[in-house]
Amino acid sequence: MKIKNYFYILCLPLLLIYSCKQVSSVSEKTPVDYVNPYMGNISHLLVPTYPTIQLPNSMLRVYPERADFTSVKMKGLPIMMTSHRGKSAFNLSAVQTEANDSIPQVMYYEYDNEVIKPYLYQTHLLNEEIDVKFAPSHQSGIYQLKFEKKVPPYILLSSNNGQLTVKDNTISGFQQIKNSSTKVFIHLEVQENPEIAGAIIKGKMDYKQQTAEGYNATVGMAFPKDTKYVSIRYGISFISTEQAMKNLYREIKNYDLNQIAEYGKKIWNEKLSKIEVSGTSEETKNVFYTSLYRTYERMVCISEDNKYWSAFDNSVHNDSGVPFYTDDWIWDTYRACHPLRVLIEPKMETDMIRSFIRMAEQMDNFWMPTFPEITGDSRRMNSNHGVATIIDSYVKGLRDFNIEKAYYACKNAITEKTLAPWSAQKAGKLDLFYKENGYIPALRPGEKEIVPEVHSFEKRQPVAVTLGTVYDEWCLSQIAFQLNKKEDYKYFSQRSLSYHKLFNPQTKFFHPKDDRGNFITPFNYTTSGGLGAREAYGENNGWVYRWDVPHNIADLINLMGGKNEFINELDSTFSTPLGISKYTFYAQLPDHTGNVGMYSMANEPSLHIPYLYNYAGQPWKTQKSIRTLIDQWFRNDLMGVPGDEDGGGMSAFVVFSTLGFYPVTPGLPMYVIGSPFFEKAIIHLGNGKSFKVIAINNSKTNKYIQSAKLNGKVWNKSWISHKDVVKGGILELTMGNKPNRNWASADEDIPPSFEMYHP
């Protein structure tokens, strides 16, 4: 025993030194070191996240191309993805083979020892014995390949529907994106000089033919047998091959991959450091910074030397010093992703709004876009929520855009374009009915669709479209108020109350109604509506859409019979079982995953629901729900995202919620308080000031707010204004392991609804 104690005393200094080193190594981690691009790469049901390698909001994005994360083979090496849903342009393959062997156009690789960071990719290609490293810049990228076989290496570049030309150590050409007029151009250079180069024709390199075109056009280079390394750099463009070359030379001066990777790491740390968090587990930081990284994937800046190709009018434009952004699924991102940028990236958010206005000007009709992509506006989903990004930014102080133009682009989209989902047609019979009656009518059982603008698969989505549009009309009324358009303000304010038309007072659900004014019967709020409930709602069932009145929650409380009834109905959403097998439920409602009772954590219309307890004077239930939901569904693992991560929409919810507040109503300059996950968070605002959230006694169990102070003064409200945030300051929350049911429970303490400022 004495010997053991003596040994312990001798070793104690060494143990302390080692322990300190371990603590130090953790503290030395930078924000980007916490990012796990693999988080969510296995989907619970539908579309997973992709392990994207790119610089923030940049045109060049890549990830290893495979059917899904568990695929044992990878299709070549990525050059560029044109959509966050997996569409890619070009394909790079490296192969070691004898000259008389058949040369594939695209190699399928077994891979191992893969490492993915936002700014770096590396792997080993087992079947070819090649080590791969890649680093991206904004509009260019660099590969370094190490060959281990004792046979000649080949570099192959293929274009699916395009043209490529190889000359000496360069390849240039284009690929046309499927079903669009958009072309992606490339200029690629190899540091090492090839022995021969040419088009790949029927598995052989034809050095007499330098150009390949059409589908699967492939050209390549062959290098000497003893070549150990091949370094490749390339630029991409939507304008021309010449511009692709300019983009390359502007960004990558040589073949130093490590230099580009270090630059990328620096850029990511600059962005992610806009929010500093401390005082929690390393896993929670992983989830936080990975979520913040996802909010920087899109929109993407496609300005190239002050010019940009616009798929909205198929022309090249001068950007006049204002970067042009596209690729945004606004139905998903208006809720939290755009509001997050208002706080930490106001200049970027302003440029994005100016891009929306430009898109509207360039299209055939002066309509605000709904789903602007690289290939133009795809008009997906329902409603016209671009109006929410406009008013939310404007009332929060972003003014460097033409609000008058934005207003008319939004108004035209809501009143001139059909409200039918997934359609770019002009308003028709369905829209006239909505204008006269205040709701979209549902088809009666057995009634056939005769309205031509209704999508055959997406259906009318009558309740979802009605609720989405009345919110849009409320947003429009708020812009009209800012512009002193009094008649429009009154008109659209009144129209924004039309959700009353579909509220069923007997069931307290929003219920589809036919064109005669009758509720559709029989009707089941869990399972009626067909695939995706599209004949009534959209992707989610009636349990989710009964809460979809973000602009007037106080009135929704009244409709449900008061605060107690409202709380009871909220509780029932989280506690009511599916009532059928999961197999049957998800076969009908595949987007309605991440279930807690009837609540769906996996789809954007649900994100605000846990915060609604605040509006009925029981914020402690919000605090419990938020902590529980994020701990359950957002984790630092392959299945750590419960549903489709559409352009940062869901990730921004995680960022806000873990900080301790959330923008329930984009368009009202305020945030609803939840329960912070960190002891300390510092938000570095775009105006140069900082807002801090301090959580005293915070822990996994101490999730309940006992008391609060805002800038040193007692704060009993369950919300804070944007004005208080952007002027800088401190929100101090004292936490405990049991609810303080009195905090923020009085009528005067609940968050505002409809308007904060009465005209």
Side-chain angles (χ1 to χ4, degrees):
M1 193 71 175
K2 289 181 181 179
I3 293 175
K4 287 183 180 179
N5 286 337
Y6 181 66
F7 178 78
Y8 175 78
I9 292 169
L10 284 176
C11 293
L12 183 59
L14 295 175
L15 290 170
L16 288 172
I17 291 170
Y18 178 77
S19 176
C20 289
K21 283 186 176 180
Q22 293 300 299
V23 172
S24 175
S25 67
V26 171
S27 66
E28 290 170 3
K29 288 176 72 172
T30 63
V32 75
D33 296 326
Y34 286 102
V35 173
N36 176 12
Y38 291 112
M39 180 177 150
N41 284 187
I42 297 178
S43 171
H44 288 241
L45 202 57
L46 293 179
V47 181
T49 61
Y50 293 94
T52 310
I53 305 105
Q54 70 172 99
L55 300 192
N57 302 97
S58 290
M59 198 162 83
L60 182 72
R61 300 171 286 177
V62 308
Y63 63 84
E65 195 171 336
R66 47 204 177 209
D68 55 48
F69 177 79
T70 58
S71 298
V72 296
K73 289 197 173 183
M74 179 171 66
K75 183 183 177 182
L77 298 171
I79 289 292
M80 180 194 185
M81 57 186 281
T82 58
S83 164
H84 88 294
R85 278 289 172 89
K87 297 176 182 176
S88 62
F90 306 109
N91 194 283
L92 178 69
S93 292
V95 61
Q96 292 181 266
T97 184
E98 298 292 353
N100 58 344
D101 291 337
S102 179
I103 302 171
Q105 291 177 305
V106 175
M107 278 293 297
Y108 283 81
Y109 295 114
E110 295 180 51
Y111 59 95
D112 198 11
N113 297 325
E114 185 179 74
V115 175
I116 297 185
K117 300 178 182 180
Y119 55 89
L120 181 69
Y121 175 74
Q122 59 187 56
T123 191
H124 179 70
L125 308 178
L126 290 164
N127 48 331
E128 287 298 314
E129 298 182 41
I130 301 171
D131 285 331
V132 176
K133 289 184 73 174
F134 170 81
S137 190
H138 299 285
Q139 297 168 351
S140 58
I142 183 168
Y143 270 102
Q144 185 182 83
L145 308 177
K146 181 183 178 183
F147 298 91
E148 296 181 359
K149 290 183 180 178
K150 301 292 186 182
V151 291
Y154 287 71
I155 300 299
L156 312 168
L157 187 71
S158 64
S159 169
N160 182 10
N161 188 24
Q163 183 185 84
L164 293 171
T165 299
V166 60
K167 184 178 180 182
D168 300 326
N169 68 333
T170 68
I171 300 173
S172 60
F174 71 90
Q175 176 170 318
Q176 184 139 6
I177 299 177
K178 188 177 181 181
N179 299 324
S180 81
S181 60
T182 304
K183 293 180 179 179
V184 186
F185 298 90
I186 188 169
H187 176 84
L188 178 149
E189 297 182 356
V190 181
Q191 184 177 30
E192 294 72 23
N193 292 320
E195 283 189 325
I196 57 171
I200 306 301
I201 307 295
K202 295 182 179 180
K204 300 296 180 183
M205 179 176 287
D206 185 350
Y207 65 90
K208 293 181 181 179
Q209 188 168 330
Q210 304 294 297
T211 298
E213 56 186 329
Y215 290 96
N216 298 318
T218 306
V219 297
M221 304 175 186
F223 296 87
K225 182 177 181 179
D226 59 351
T227 301
K228 190 76 171 174
Y229 293 94
V230 171
S231 295
I232 303 164
R233 60 177 184 169
Y234 65 93
I236 51 99
S237 171
F238 291 114
I239 297 173
S240 66
T241 53
E242 292 77 18
Q243 186 62 50
M245 182 170 63
K246 290 179 182 178
N247 295 343
L248 170 62
Y249 291 164
R250 177 178 5 95
E251 295 183 350
I252 301 180
K253 309 296 183 184
N254 51 43
Y255 289 88
D256 189 341
L257 185 145
N258 291 333
Q259 182 183 51
I260 301 302
E262 283 301 311
Y263 168 77
K265 183 176 183 179
K266 175 176 176 289
I267 294 297
W268 271 113
N269 276 324
E270 287 175 357
K271 292 296 186 183
L272 298 177
S273 293
K274 289 181 180 289
I275 304 178
E276 299 178 58
V277 295
S278 58
T280 188
S281 70
E282 295 293 284
E283 289 287 295
T284 306
K285 288 181 181 177
N286 285 128
V287 172
F288 176 82
Y289 280 114
T290 301
S291 299
L292 186 56
Y293 141 83
R294 291 286 178 196
T295 69
Y296 279 101
E297 284 188 20
R298 299 161 64 206
M299 302 169 71
V300 294
C301 177
I302 63 170
S303 282
E304 309 173 46
D305 290 331
N306 299 118
K307 300 187 297 294
Y308 65 94
W309 158 263
S310 172
F312 302 91
D313 66 354
N314 299 324
S315 300
V316 176
H317 296 263
N318 190 308
D319 71 11
S320 302
V322 179
F324 185 80
Y325 289 84
T326 188
D327 199 13
D328 186 22
W329 292 12
I330 304 175
W331 188 87
D332 304 282
T333 59
Y334 84 90
R335 307 166 198 268
C337 197
H338 282 278
L340 180 63
R341 274 195 294 262
V342 169
L343 285 174
I344 62 175
E345 295 281 4
K347 170 66 167 60
M348 185 189 295
E349 180 65 17
T350 300
D351 290 340
M352 290 175 179
I353 290 174
R354 294 177 74 170
S355 297
F356 288 157
I357 298 170
R358 286 172 169 175
M359 295 171 195
E361 291 175 318
Q362 292 164 9
M363 288 187 283
D364 292 338
N365 299 290
F366 187 54
W367 298 341
M368 185 63 66
T370 54
F371 262 54
E373 300 186 74
I374 294 293
T375 52
D377 194 355
S378 57
R379 298 290 178 192
R380 305 191 199 199
M381 297 303 292
N382 60 60
S383 309
N384 294 274
H385 294 319
V387 65
T389 69
I390 302 299
I391 186 58
D392 193 58
S393 297
Y394 194 83
V395 297
K396 291 176 180 176
L398 275 58
R399 300 296 168 90
D400 192 19
F401 61 90
N402 191 322
I403 185 67
E404 186 97 17
K405 276 188 179 180
Y407 175 72
Y408 283 110
C410 294
K411 181 180 178 181
N412 294 348
I414 294 168
T415 60
E416 295 179 2
K417 182 179 68 64
T418 182
L419 297 174
W422 293 67
S423 177
Q425 295 185 41
K426 291 187 177 181
K429 180 180 177 181
L430 207 62
D431 306 278
L432 180 61
F433 185 95
Y434 175 80
K435 184 177 180 180
E436 293 176 349
N437 297 278
Y439 70 95
I440 298 292
L443 295 175
R444 291 178 289 279
E447 184 180 4
K448 292 185 177 180
E449 184 62 75
I450 60 172
V451 177
E453 57 266 25
V454 174
H455 194 285
S456 60
F457 178 81
E458 295 296 336
K459 311 297 183 183
R460 294 187 178 188
Q461 303 180 22
V463 178
V465 172
T466 299
L467 296 178
T469 302
V470 296
Y471 169 66
D472 290 343
E473 289 173 320
W474 174 82
C475 291
L476 201 59
S477 77
Q478 298 302 298
I479 304 177
F481 174 70
Q482 296 291 334
L483 292 172
N484 200 31
K485 297 180 183 293
K486 295 179 181 179
E487 291 303 313
D488 277 7
Y489 166 71
K490 291 178 183 178
Y491 175 75
F492 287 111
S493 279
Q494 188 61 39
R495 290 196 63 82
S496 76
L497 301 176
S498 293
Y499 52 85
H500 285 244
K501 302 288 182 72
L502 293 183
F503 188 78
N504 188 330
Q506 272 68 50
T507 63
K508 299 176 183 177
F509 279 80
F510 289 105
H511 193 130
K513 185 182 284 187
D514 66 20
D515 57 4
R516 298 170 189 167
N518 301 314
F519 288 124
I520 300 296
T521 56
F523 195 83
N524 184 306
Y525 295 114
T526 300
T527 58
S528 290
L531 184 60
R534 288 174 174 87
E535 293 164 20
Y537 305 102
E539 295 190 346
N540 306 277
N541 65 21
W543 285 89
V544 169
Y545 277 98
R546 74 187 305 199
W547 310 105
D548 198 23
V549 190
H551 60 295
N552 206 351
I553 296 158
D555 189 39
L556 183 60
I557 291 173
N558 291 333
L559 285 175
M560 287 195 175
K563 292 180 181 178
N564 289 337
E565 285 300 311
F566 184 80
I567 292 290
N568 290 338
E569 297 300 333
L570 267 176
D571 286 346
S572 69
T573 298
F574 290 99
S575 62
T576 299
L578 299 182
I580 54 178
S581 70
K582 287 185 178 180
Y583 173 85
T584 303
F585 184 86
Y586 294 131
Q588 183 195 351
L589 294 157
D591 291 277
H592 198 305
T593 56
N595 281 85
V596 179
M598 284 295 176
Y599 175 78
S600 168
M601 188 70 262
N603 213 333
E604 282 76 11
S606 295
L607 299 182
H608 71 292
I609 294 174
Y611 288 92
L612 298 185
Y613 287 107
N614 287 34
Y615 291 77
Q618 294 194 27
W620 66 270
K621 288 199 170 187
T622 286
Q623 295 153 27
K624 176 181 181 294
S625 295
I626 287 298
R627 286 287 194 102
T628 302
L629 289 167
I630 289 181
D631 281 343
Q632 285 174 339
W633 294 108
F634 296 94
R635 306 177 312 276
N636 182 33
D637 61 47
L638 287 167
M639 295 188 74
V641 178
D644 297 357
E645 211 308 306
D646 290 321
M650 199 167 293
S651 291
F653 163 81
V654 176
V655 172
F656 268 120
S657 294
T658 52
L659 290 175
F661 56 93
Y662 185 75
V664 168
T665 309
L668 284 183
M670 63 91 187
Y671 308 92
V672 178
I673 295 173
S675 178
F677 281 59
F678 305 102
E679 289 181 8
K680 183 178 182 181
I682 305 173
I683 305 166
H684 297 286
L685 305 165
N687 62 6
K689 298 180 180 180
S690 296
F691 184 75
K692 298 177 183 177
V693 180
I694 308 294
I696 301 168
N697 297 328
N698 197 39
S699 70
K700 195 173 185 67
T701 55
N702 290 356
K703 66 189 71 168
Y704 297 105
I705 297 172
Q706 306 300 300
S707 62
K709 291 181 180 180
L710 182 62
N711 295 327
K713 296 181 180 179
V714 173
W715 189 254
N716 286 320
K717 300 182 186 300
S718 62
W719 62 280
I720 51 175
S721 72
H722 178 76
K723 184 178 179 181
D724 283 328
V725 172
V726 294
K727 68 184 180 184
I730 301 174
L731 176 64
E732 185 180 293
L733 306 170
T734 300
M735 311 300 291
N737 65 357
K738 293 183 177 62
N740 177 356
R741 299 168 192 261
N742 294 319
W743 182 79
S745 61
D747 288 348
E748 62 269 21
D749 299 331
I750 65 174
S753 293
F754 207 70
E755 288 180 330
M756 293 178 69
Y757 313 104
H758 297 280

